[in-house]
Structure formats: structure tokens, C-alpha cells
Amino acid sequence: MQRHAPIPASSGEGPGRPRRHRLSRGGNRRLNAAIHRAAVTQLRCEPRARELYQAAITRGHTRREAMRILKRHLSNTIHRTMIRDAIGARA
């Protein structure tokens, strides 16, 4: 799997290092779409997901950034579950 570094996107925001970055759109689109559907469903039905999303909004993130935070949390949870299941299958 090829990973791409964030691309600076804040050219005219003043001196110093860039504050905003554009994310790479590469990757597994079907998997990304599935995680997005899971995040939307979680926001509708799961209080913990709503708390995570609202906490991000409260910290000053945009709705889009808050959704990205929720999706990252979900993908990390999915990955940990897959690893745990793979280790359990070997035992």
C-alpha cells in the first residue's frame, strides 16, 4: 500500500509553515465509501459517535474535519478488530 504525505494548501495565509493540508484522495475507494456509510449510521444511532463528533466541533473543527476524525476512529477500531481476530485464529 502506498502512503502519501499531506500536501500543503495554505499558500497565502501568512509567514511560517502551512497550517492547512490537503489530503491525498488515493486509496481504496470502496473501503472509504463503506467507512463513510458506517460513520453516517453511527452518527444517527450511536451516542458515543455523536459525542466524538460534537467534541471535535467544540474544539473548533469544521463539520468535514469532525467527520474525518470520526472516520479515522472507526477505521482504527476496524483495524484493531481485524488484527485481534487474525491473532485469535492462529491460536
Side-chain angles (χ1 to χ4, degrees):
M1 181 171 96
Q2 191 176 26
R3 295 205 145 205
H4 301 282
I7 304 161
S10 55
S11 60
E13 291 184 4
R17 297 179 60 193
R19 284 180 253 157
R20 287 185 310 112
H21 293 86
R22 192 173 30 150
L23 298 176
S24 170
R25 296 290 179 209
N28 186 330
R29 300 310 304 152
R30 290 177 72 187
L31 181 58
N32 289 342
I35 291 172
H36 177 78
R37 284 190 297 272
V40 170
T41 303
Q42 289 272 312
L43 273 178
R44 243 187 348 219
C45 304
E46 179 60 45
R48 291 176 296 175
R50 282 194 295 269
E51 288 171 13
L52 184 66
Y53 182 84
Q54 284 302 322
I57 297 287
T58 303
R59 288 191 307 268
H61 292 284
T62 65
R63 291 184 324 190
R64 186 179 216 173
E65 291 169 334
M67 180 60 86
R68 188 177 297 132
I69 289 168
L70 175 58
K71 286 163 64 174
R72 175 64 60 93
H73 177 76
L74 287 172
S75 70
N76 289 345
T77 301
I78 291 166
H79 183 258
R80 280 193 306 269
T81 302
M82 289 173 58
I83 296 299
R84 186 179 62 234
D85 288 352
I87 292 170
R90 280 190 245 146

